[in-house]
Amino acid sequence: RYDAQISVFGAKLQKKLEDAKVFTVGSGALGCEFLKNLALMGVSCGKEGKLTITDDDVIEKSNLSRQFLFRDWNIGQAKSTVAASAATLINGRLNNEALQNRASPDTENVFDDTFWENLDVVINALDNVNARLYIDQRCLYFQ
């Protein structure tokens, strides 16, 4: 499945991708695109890998034109849950967990120090400037 990537980047990098611990914040238009690409690349598809997706929003009809992982029957459902399921259909080996928490100072009991310290990559797919700044601050703090 990943032969083209391995031929360009090598098996060692592919293994790192597969075992990566990734946090994707937001599963709207940007998040859907990122999740598709991560699944196709095999990111978090190894035994050690884990993709955590969080978004506190639900799917609305207006989302369907630009958030391609969602369908009519998903209206009213949690974006993160539906996006995670759709990404798993793209790559059945994807190890993911969907949360419906807003990443903010109010949820530092969910996204605590241990959570941040165990991450390899954070993907910020938010459309809110204050939320982006908060995630950026957490990334800088935990390096």
Side-chain angles (χ1 to χ4, degrees), residues 60-68 70:
E60 299 175 16
K61 186 172 183 157
S62 63
N63 300 141
L64 301 178
S65 64
R66 64 189 182 282
Q67 298 171 13
F68 64 90
F70 308 144

Side-chain angles (χ1 to χ4, degrees), residues 27 75 111:
S27 52
I75 293 172
F111 306 114

Side-chain angles (χ1 to χ4, degrees), residues 7-19:
S7 68
V8 174
F9 300 112
K12 187 176 179 181
L13 178 62
Q14 185 61 40
K15 175 80 170 124
K16 281 187 175 187
L17 291 173
E18 291 176 16
D19 289 338

Side-chain angles (χ1 to χ4, degrees), residues 87-136:
T88 301
L89 291 175
I90 294 169
N91 189 335
R93 293 181 53 215
L94 183 64
N95 301 316
N96 64 48
E97 177 183 17
L99 304 173
Q100 289 81 46
N101 302 91
R102 179 181 301 250
S104 71
D106 297 335
T107 58
E108 288 182 2
N109 61 321
V110 176
F111 306 114
D112 59 10
D113 290 1
T114 303
F115 175 83
W116 287 97
E117 289 167 352
N118 288 319
L119 295 174
D120 297 311
V121 176
V122 176
I123 299 173
N124 195 339
L126 297 167
D127 59 4
N128 176 298
V129 174
N130 289 332
R132 281 186 184 201
L133 291 173
Y134 172 76
I135 296 299
D136 291 349

